[in-house]
mmCIF file of all heavy atoms in Angstrom:
data_model
loop_
_atom_site.group_PDB
_atom_site.id
_atom_site.type_symbol
_atom_site.label_atom_id
_atom_site.label_comp_id
_atom_site.label_asym_id
_atom_site.label_seq_id
_atom_site.Cartn_x
_atom_site.Cartn_y
_atom_site.Cartn_z
ATOM 1 N N ASP X 1 -7.378 11.884 -12.391
ATOM 2 C CA ASP X 1 -7.694 10.480 -12.445
ATOM 3 C C ASP X 1 -6.636 9.536 -12.771
ATOM 4 O O ASP X 1 -6.370 8.489 -12.237
ATOM 5 C CB ASP X 1 -8.916 10.262 -13.400
ATOM 6 C CG ASP X 1 -10.240 10.809 -12.904
ATOM 7 O OD1 ASP X 1 -10.261 11.052 -11.655
ATOM 8 O OD2 ASP X 1 -11.161 10.991 -13.650
ATOM 9 N N MET X 2 -5.821 9.866 -13.798
ATOM 10 C CA MET X 2 -4.791 9.060 -14.310
ATOM 11 C C MET X 2 -3.663 8.822 -13.130
ATOM 12 O O MET X 2 -3.218 7.735 -12.883
ATOM 13 C CB MET X 2 -4.118 9.530 -15.418
ATOM 14 C CG MET X 2 -3.111 8.671 -16.192
ATOM 15 S SD MET X 2 -2.815 9.238 -17.792
ATOM 16 C CE MET X 2 -0.975 9.380 -17.640
ATOM 17 N N ASP X 3 -3.284 9.969 -12.512
ATOM 18 C CA ASP X 3 -2.368 9.903 -11.443
ATOM 19 C C ASP X 3 -2.931 9.144 -10.176
ATOM 20 O O ASP X 3 -2.197 8.267 -9.519
ATOM 21 C CB ASP X 3 -1.897 11.262 -10.939
ATOM 22 C CG ASP X 3 -1.082 11.929 -12.028
ATOM 23 O OD1 ASP X 3 -0.457 11.287 -12.887
ATOM 24 O OD2 ASP X 3 -1.082 13.266 -12.042
ATOM 25 N N TRP X 4 -4.242 9.377 -9.858
ATOM 26 C CA TRP X 4 -4.876 8.643 -8.766
ATOM 27 C C TRP X 4 -4.872 7.133 -9.047
ATOM 28 O O TRP X 4 -4.519 6.421 -8.207
ATOM 29 C CB TRP X 4 -6.288 9.244 -8.738
ATOM 30 C CG TRP X 4 -7.053 8.470 -7.709
ATOM 31 C CD1 TRP X 4 -8.105 7.614 -7.979
ATOM 32 C CD2 TRP X 4 -7.077 8.617 -6.228
ATOM 33 N NE1 TRP X 4 -8.693 7.151 -6.831
ATOM 34 C CE2 TRP X 4 -8.034 7.683 -5.720
ATOM 35 C CE3 TRP X 4 -6.271 9.311 -5.406
ATOM 36 C CZ2 TRP X 4 -8.259 7.526 -4.437
ATOM 37 C CZ3 TRP X 4 -6.472 9.054 -3.973
ATOM 38 C CH2 TRP X 4 -7.434 8.237 -3.523
ATOM 39 N N ASN X 5 -5.172 6.825 -10.218
ATOM 40 C CA ASN X 5 -5.340 5.355 -10.667
ATOM 41 C C ASN X 5 -3.841 4.709 -10.514
ATOM 42 O O ASN X 5 -3.735 3.495 -10.076
ATOM 43 C CB ASN X 5 -5.898 5.161 -12.035
ATOM 44 C CG ASN X 5 -7.273 5.486 -12.013
ATOM 45 O OD1 ASN X 5 -8.082 5.342 -11.013
ATOM 46 N ND2 ASN X 5 -7.864 5.896 -13.246
ATOM 47 N N ASP X 6 -2.861 5.360 -10.982
ATOM 48 C CA ASP X 6 -1.425 4.895 -10.751
ATOM 49 C C ASP X 6 -1.197 4.676 -9.298
ATOM 50 O O ASP X 6 -0.489 3.681 -8.931
ATOM 51 C CB ASP X 6 -0.397 5.890 -11.451
ATOM 52 C CG ASP X 6 -0.557 5.854 -12.964
ATOM 53 O OD1 ASP X 6 -1.126 4.868 -13.500
ATOM 54 O OD2 ASP X 6 0.010 6.776 -13.544
ATOM 55 N N PHE X 7 -1.480 5.659 -8.489
ATOM 56 C CA PHE X 7 -1.221 5.571 -7.118
ATOM 57 C C PHE X 7 -1.904 4.393 -6.474
ATOM 58 O O PHE X 7 -1.296 3.627 -5.782
ATOM 59 C CB PHE X 7 -1.614 6.913 -6.397
ATOM 60 C CG PHE X 7 -1.497 6.855 -4.948
ATOM 61 C CD1 PHE X 7 -0.393 6.874 -4.213
ATOM 62 C CD2 PHE X 7 -2.723 6.660 -4.217
ATOM 63 C CE1 PHE X 7 -0.393 6.750 -2.772
ATOM 64 C CE2 PHE X 7 -2.652 6.584 -2.676
ATOM 65 C CZ PHE X 7 -1.493 6.754 -2.221
ATOM 66 N N LEU X 8 -3.243 4.298 -6.774
ATOM 67 C CA LEU X 8 -4.003 3.153 -6.181
ATOM 68 C C LEU X 8 -3.530 1.810 -6.691
ATOM 69 O O LEU X 8 -3.483 0.855 -5.915
ATOM 70 C CB LEU X 8 -5.488 3.292 -6.586
ATOM 71 C CG LEU X 8 -6.451 4.228 -5.804
ATOM 72 C CD1 LEU X 8 -7.777 4.069 -6.376
ATOM 73 C CD2 LEU X 8 -6.443 3.699 -4.364
ATOM 74 N N GLN X 9 -3.062 1.843 -8.040
ATOM 75 C CA GLN X 9 -2.541 0.441 -8.502
ATOM 76 C C GLN X 9 -1.302 0.041 -7.596
ATOM 77 O O GLN X 9 -1.124 -1.166 -7.342
ATOM 78 C CB GLN X 9 -2.238 0.717 -9.997
ATOM 79 C CG GLN X 9 -1.753 -0.689 -10.546
ATOM 80 C CD GLN X 9 -2.803 -1.706 -10.539
ATOM 81 O OE1 GLN X 9 -3.992 -1.436 -10.885
ATOM 82 N NE2 GLN X 9 -2.383 -3.006 -10.230
ATOM 83 N N GLN X 10 -0.415 0.980 -7.371
ATOM 84 C CA GLN X 10 0.802 0.784 -6.555
ATOM 85 C C GLN X 10 0.344 0.249 -5.060
ATOM 86 O O GLN X 10 0.940 -0.699 -4.608
ATOM 87 C CB GLN X 10 1.622 2.019 -6.406
ATOM 88 C CG GLN X 10 2.313 2.361 -7.722
ATOM 89 C CD GLN X 10 3.159 3.667 -7.573
ATOM 90 O OE1 GLN X 10 3.403 4.071 -6.472
ATOM 91 N NE2 GLN X 10 3.393 4.219 -8.692
ATOM 92 N N VAL X 11 -0.643 0.954 -4.495
ATOM 93 C CA VAL X 11 -0.958 0.589 -3.263
ATOM 94 C C VAL X 11 -1.586 -0.844 -3.172
ATOM 95 O O VAL X 11 -1.341 -1.577 -2.266
ATOM 96 C CB VAL X 11 -1.977 1.634 -2.681
ATOM 97 C CG1 VAL X 11 -2.660 1.153 -1.382
ATOM 98 C CG2 VAL X 11 -1.310 2.966 -2.433
ATOM 99 N N CYS X 12 -2.465 -1.100 -4.063
ATOM 100 C CA CYS X 12 -3.203 -2.461 -4.164
ATOM 101 C C CYS X 12 -2.203 -3.460 -4.491
ATOM 102 O O CYS X 12 -2.311 -4.496 -3.810
ATOM 103 C CB CYS X 12 -4.330 -2.353 -5.203
ATOM 104 S SG CYS X 12 -5.670 -1.323 -4.729
ATOM 105 N N SER X 13 -1.215 -3.217 -5.288
ATOM 106 C CA SER X 13 -0.303 -4.408 -5.579
ATOM 107 C C SER X 13 0.627 -4.566 -4.375
ATOM 108 O O SER X 13 0.979 -5.790 -4.118
ATOM 109 C CB SER X 13 0.516 -4.040 -6.855
ATOM 110 O OG SER X 13 1.416 -2.917 -6.522
ATOM 111 N N LEU X 14 0.994 -3.567 -3.532
ATOM 112 C CA LEU X 14 1.769 -3.806 -2.360
ATOM 113 C C LEU X 14 0.965 -4.605 -1.346
ATOM 114 O O LEU X 14 1.552 -5.463 -0.695
ATOM 115 C CB LEU X 14 2.215 -2.532 -1.804
ATOM 116 C CG LEU X 14 3.431 -1.861 -2.451
ATOM 117 C CD1 LEU X 14 3.663 -0.485 -1.895
ATOM 118 C CD2 LEU X 14 4.726 -2.677 -2.263
ATOM 119 N N LEU X 15 -0.310 -4.158 -1.206
ATOM 120 C CA LEU X 15 -1.113 -4.887 -0.188
ATOM 121 C C LEU X 15 -1.433 -6.333 -0.583
ATOM 122 O O LEU X 15 -1.519 -7.276 0.220
ATOM 123 C CB LEU X 15 -2.400 -4.204 0.045
ATOM 124 C CG LEU X 15 -2.408 -2.925 0.934
ATOM 125 C CD1 LEU X 15 -3.735 -2.284 0.981
ATOM 126 C CD2 LEU X 15 -1.918 -3.399 2.384
ATOM 127 N N ASP X 16 -1.538 -6.505 -1.870
ATOM 128 C CA ASP X 16 -1.920 -7.840 -2.452
ATOM 129 C C ASP X 16 -0.828 -8.712 -2.580
ATOM 130 O O ASP X 16 -0.919 -9.885 -3.038
ATOM 131 C CB ASP X 16 -2.631 -7.662 -3.772
ATOM 132 C CG ASP X 16 -3.726 -8.590 -4.036
ATOM 133 O OD1 ASP X 16 -4.125 -9.338 -3.171
ATOM 134 O OD2 ASP X 16 -4.220 -8.662 -5.226
ATOM 135 N N SER X 17 0.435 -8.280 -2.288
ATOM 136 C CA SER X 17 1.666 -9.070 -2.402
ATOM 137 C C SER X 17 1.498 -10.389 -1.642
ATOM 138 O O SER X 17 1.042 -10.407 -0.483
ATOM 139 C CB SER X 17 2.797 -8.276 -1.961
ATOM 140 O OG SER X 17 3.982 -9.164 -1.869
ATOM 141 N N THR X 18 1.922 -11.539 -2.215
ATOM 142 C CA THR X 18 1.813 -12.790 -1.583
ATOM 143 C C THR X 18 3.106 -13.231 -0.845
ATOM 144 O O THR X 18 3.242 -14.338 -0.391
ATOM 145 C CB THR X 18 1.462 -13.968 -2.595
ATOM 146 O OG1 THR X 18 2.330 -13.870 -3.677
ATOM 147 C CG2 THR X 18 0.030 -13.687 -3.070
ATOM 148 N N LYS X 19 4.059 -12.315 -0.767
ATOM 149 C CA LYS X 19 5.322 -12.683 -0.109
ATOM 150 C C LYS X 19 5.096 -12.902 1.305
ATOM 151 O O LYS X 19 4.283 -12.191 1.976
ATOM 152 C CB LYS X 19 6.355 -11.519 -0.264
ATOM 153 C CG LYS X 19 6.904 -11.449 -1.720
ATOM 154 C CD LYS X 19 7.843 -10.264 -1.804
ATOM 155 C CE LYS X 19 8.295 -9.947 -3.182
ATOM 156 N NZ LYS X 19 9.183 -8.793 -3.282
ATOM 157 N N LYS X 20 5.696 -13.929 1.926
ATOM 158 C CA LYS X 20 5.376 -14.379 3.215
ATOM 159 C C LYS X 20 6.653 -14.222 4.099
ATOM 160 O O LYS X 20 7.036 -15.188 4.806
ATOM 161 C CB LYS X 20 4.874 -15.775 3.286
ATOM 162 C CG LYS X 20 3.593 -16.035 2.547
ATOM 163 C CD LYS X 20 2.418 -16.146 3.414
ATOM 164 C CE LYS X 20 1.309 -16.589 2.536
ATOM 165 N NZ LYS X 20 0.008 -16.059 2.763
ATOM 166 N N ASN X 21 7.377 -13.095 4.059
ATOM 167 C CA ASN X 21 8.479 -12.925 4.996
ATOM 168 C C ASN X 21 8.263 -11.701 5.858
ATOM 169 O O ASN X 21 7.310 -10.920 5.765
ATOM 170 C CB ASN X 21 9.802 -12.839 4.185
ATOM 171 C CG ASN X 21 9.746 -11.604 3.263
ATOM 172 O OD1 ASN X 21 9.295 -10.508 3.506
ATOM 173 N ND2 ASN X 21 10.155 -11.800 1.985
ATOM 174 N N ILE X 22 9.198 -11.584 6.835
ATOM 175 C CA ILE X 22 9.012 -10.510 7.787
ATOM 176 C C ILE X 22 9.106 -9.137 7.175
ATOM 177 O O ILE X 22 8.308 -8.178 7.530
ATOM 178 C CB ILE X 22 10.158 -10.618 8.871
ATOM 179 C CG1 ILE X 22 9.843 -11.964 9.744
ATOM 180 C CG2 ILE X 22 10.160 -9.448 9.829
ATOM 181 C CD1 ILE X 22 10.914 -12.280 10.662
ATOM 182 N N GLY X 23 9.998 -8.995 6.151
ATOM 183 C CA GLY X 23 10.198 -7.692 5.441
ATOM 184 C C GLY X 23 8.720 -7.310 4.720
ATOM 185 O O GLY X 23 8.402 -6.174 4.713
ATOM 186 N N ALA X 24 8.143 -8.265 4.081
ATOM 187 C CA ALA X 24 6.824 -8.038 3.421
ATOM 188 C C ALA X 24 5.738 -7.604 4.415
ATOM 189 O O ALA X 24 5.001 -6.696 4.131
ATOM 190 C CB ALA X 24 6.471 -9.297 2.616
ATOM 191 N N ALA X 25 5.760 -8.255 5.628
ATOM 192 C CA ALA X 25 4.810 -7.935 6.651
ATOM 193 C C ALA X 25 4.998 -6.533 7.114
ATOM 194 O O ALA X 25 4.062 -5.745 7.259
ATOM 195 C CB ALA X 25 4.807 -8.958 7.768
ATOM 196 N N ARG X 26 6.232 -6.142 7.397
ATOM 197 C CA ARG X 26 6.577 -4.862 7.783
ATOM 198 C C ARG X 26 6.241 -3.772 6.796
ATOM 199 O O ARG X 26 5.729 -2.787 7.105
ATOM 200 C CB ARG X 26 8.049 -4.706 8.076
ATOM 201 C CG ARG X 26 8.410 -5.240 9.480
ATOM 202 C CD ARG X 26 9.787 -4.851 9.858
ATOM 203 N NE ARG X 26 10.307 -5.795 10.885
ATOM 204 C CZ ARG X 26 11.491 -6.411 10.874
ATOM 205 N NH1 ARG X 26 12.225 -6.264 9.839
ATOM 206 N NH2 ARG X 26 11.803 -7.210 11.850
ATOM 207 N N SER X 27 6.437 -4.087 5.557
ATOM 208 C CA SER X 27 6.116 -3.226 4.388
ATOM 209 C C SER X 27 4.669 -2.970 4.339
ATOM 210 O O SER X 27 4.188 -1.867 4.207
ATOM 211 C CB SER X 27 6.630 -3.723 3.062
ATOM 212 O OG SER X 27 6.453 -2.895 2.019
ATOM 213 N N LYS X 28 3.853 -4.078 4.482
ATOM 214 C CA LYS X 28 2.317 -3.895 4.477
ATOM 215 C C LYS X 28 1.930 -3.059 5.655
ATOM 216 O O LYS X 28 1.109 -2.224 5.513
ATOM 217 C CB LYS X 28 1.704 -5.295 4.531
ATOM 218 C CG LYS X 28 1.629 -5.985 3.203
ATOM 219 C CD LYS X 28 0.795 -7.234 3.323
ATOM 220 C CE LYS X 28 0.830 -7.993 2.013
ATOM 221 N NZ LYS X 28 0.044 -9.174 1.996
ATOM 222 N N LEU X 29 2.462 -3.319 6.827
ATOM 223 C CA LEU X 29 2.115 -2.557 8.090
ATOM 224 C C LEU X 29 2.383 -1.098 7.863
ATOM 225 O O LEU X 29 1.639 -0.225 8.123
ATOM 226 C CB LEU X 29 2.841 -3.151 9.212
ATOM 227 C CG LEU X 29 2.160 -4.484 9.861
ATOM 228 C CD1 LEU X 29 3.133 -4.903 10.979
ATOM 229 C CD2 LEU X 29 0.772 -4.215 10.362
ATOM 230 N N ASN X 30 3.564 -0.792 7.337
ATOM 231 C CA ASN X 30 3.964 0.585 7.102
ATOM 232 C C ASN X 30 3.027 1.298 6.157
ATOM 233 O O ASN X 30 2.700 2.415 6.311
ATOM 234 C CB ASN X 30 5.475 0.571 6.605
ATOM 235 C CG ASN X 30 6.074 1.920 6.699
ATOM 236 O OD1 ASN X 30 5.788 2.712 7.614
ATOM 237 N ND2 ASN X 30 6.808 2.316 5.678
ATOM 238 N N LEU X 31 2.603 0.569 5.028
ATOM 239 C CA LEU X 31 1.653 1.040 4.170
ATOM 240 C C LEU X 31 0.325 1.383 4.830
ATOM 241 O O LEU X 31 -0.260 2.334 4.491
ATOM 242 C CB LEU X 31 1.474 0.119 3.010
ATOM 243 C CG LEU X 31 0.449 0.484 1.901
ATOM 244 C CD1 LEU X 31 0.787 1.848 1.323
ATOM 245 C CD2 LEU X 31 0.393 -0.608 0.750
ATOM 246 N N LEU X 32 -0.137 0.372 5.693
ATOM 247 C CA LEU X 32 -1.388 0.574 6.308
ATOM 248 C C LEU X 32 -1.339 1.792 7.349
ATOM 249 O O LEU X 32 -2.284 2.504 7.434
ATOM 250 C CB LEU X 32 -1.685 -0.770 7.054
ATOM 251 C CG LEU X 32 -2.049 -1.945 6.109
ATOM 252 C CD1 LEU X 32 -2.139 -3.118 6.834
ATOM 253 C CD2 LEU X 32 -3.446 -1.643 5.421
ATOM 254 N N TYR X 33 -0.185 1.995 7.981
ATOM 255 C CA TYR X 33 -0.013 3.270 8.717
ATOM 256 C C TYR X 33 -0.177 4.501 7.992
ATOM 257 O O TYR X 33 -0.792 5.436 8.379
ATOM 258 C CB TYR X 33 1.344 3.166 9.484
ATOM 259 C CG TYR X 33 1.495 2.254 10.608
ATOM 260 C CD1 TYR X 33 2.551 1.383 10.700
ATOM 261 C CD2 TYR X 33 0.500 2.155 11.689
ATOM 262 C CE1 TYR X 33 2.732 0.567 11.865
ATOM 263 C CE2 TYR X 33 0.676 1.310 12.631
ATOM 264 C CZ TYR X 33 1.733 0.463 12.781
ATOM 265 O OH TYR X 33 1.882 -0.434 13.791
ATOM 266 N N TYR X 34 0.491 4.368 6.745
ATOM 267 C CA TYR X 34 0.319 5.633 5.886
ATOM 268 C C TYR X 34 -1.151 5.862 5.431
ATOM 269 O O TYR X 34 -1.687 6.898 5.494
ATOM 270 C CB TYR X 34 1.223 5.455 4.632
ATOM 271 C CG TYR X 34 0.901 6.507 3.553
ATOM 272 C CD1 TYR X 34 1.295 7.697 3.694
ATOM 273 C CD2 TYR X 34 0.348 6.061 2.363
ATOM 274 C CE1 TYR X 34 1.045 8.765 2.715
ATOM 275 C CE2 TYR X 34 0.052 6.885 1.321
ATOM 276 C CZ TYR X 34 0.446 8.172 1.518
ATOM 277 O OH TYR X 34 0.082 9.192 0.487
ATOM 278 N N LEU X 35 -1.769 4.646 5.127
ATOM 279 C CA LEU X 35 -3.268 4.806 4.717
ATOM 280 C C LEU X 35 -4.085 5.425 5.873
ATOM 281 O O LEU X 35 -5.069 6.171 5.678
ATOM 282 C CB LEU X 35 -3.840 3.567 4.281
ATOM 283 C CG LEU X 35 -3.235 2.960 2.940
ATOM 284 C CD1 LEU X 35 -3.782 1.626 2.570
ATOM 285 C CD2 LEU X 35 -3.664 4.086 1.775
ATOM 286 N N CYS X 36 -3.707 5.017 7.114
ATOM 287 C CA CYS X 36 -4.422 5.667 8.276
ATOM 288 C C CYS X 36 -4.358 7.137 8.360
ATOM 289 O O CYS X 36 -5.246 7.838 8.726
ATOM 290 C CB CYS X 36 -3.969 4.918 9.558
ATOM 291 S SG CYS X 36 -4.510 3.263 9.814
ATOM 292 N N THR X 37 -3.195 7.536 8.081
ATOM 293 C CA THR X 37 -2.930 9.043 8.172
ATOM 294 C C THR X 37 -3.630 9.841 7.073
ATOM 295 O O THR X 37 -4.022 11.003 7.278
ATOM 296 C CB THR X 37 -1.452 9.385 7.998
ATOM 297 O OG1 THR X 37 -0.883 9.054 6.825
ATOM 298 C CG2 THR X 37 -0.618 8.745 9.138
ATOM 299 N N VAL X 38 -3.842 9.221 5.878
ATOM 300 C CA VAL X 38 -4.589 10.020 4.830
ATOM 301 C C VAL X 38 -6.015 9.764 4.800
ATOM 302 O O VAL X 38 -6.749 10.476 4.248
ATOM 303 C CB VAL X 38 -4.031 9.757 3.369
ATOM 304 C CG1 VAL X 38 -2.577 10.246 3.307
ATOM 305 C CG2 VAL X 38 -4.059 8.221 3.008
ATOM 306 N N ALA X 39 -6.489 8.616 5.417
ATOM 307 C CA ALA X 39 -7.961 8.200 5.482
ATOM 308 C C ALA X 39 -8.704 9.233 6.355
ATOM 309 O O ALA X 39 -9.924 9.255 6.295
ATOM 310 C CB ALA X 39 -8.085 6.838 5.959
ATOM 311 N N VAL X 40 -8.024 10.057 7.124
ATOM 312 C CA VAL X 40 -8.809 10.975 7.883
ATOM 313 C C VAL X 40 -9.230 12.245 7.163
ATOM 314 O O VAL X 40 -9.942 13.118 7.738
ATOM 315 C CB VAL X 40 -8.113 11.361 9.218
ATOM 316 C CG1 VAL X 40 -7.695 10.115 10.060
ATOM 317 C CG2 VAL X 40 -6.750 12.134 8.895
#
């Protein structure tokens, strides 16, 4: 649970980032691609 919560906290903070630049958008997309691979 502790490791899981740390992992989730990192994921949520990256998704919740309010940065509005191309690098931030690419980073979010990359994270979402990763989530697609583990969500199956």
Side-chain angles (χ1 to χ4, degrees):
D1 287 343
M2 195 168 116
D3 295 333
W4 173 257
N5 290 333
D6 288 344
F7 171 77
L8 275 180
Q9 185 63 41
Q10 291 175 17
V11 169
C12 290
S13 66
L14 280 173
L15 280 177
D16 215 12
S17 170
T18 55
K19 292 180 183 173
K20 303 251 188 225
N21 59 41
I22 293 173
R26 280 193 200 127
S27 181
K28 279 186 185 185
L29 282 171
N30 197 34
L31 176 59
L32 291 165
Y33 285 133
Y34 169 70
L35 290 174
C36 286
T37 63
V38 295
V40 299

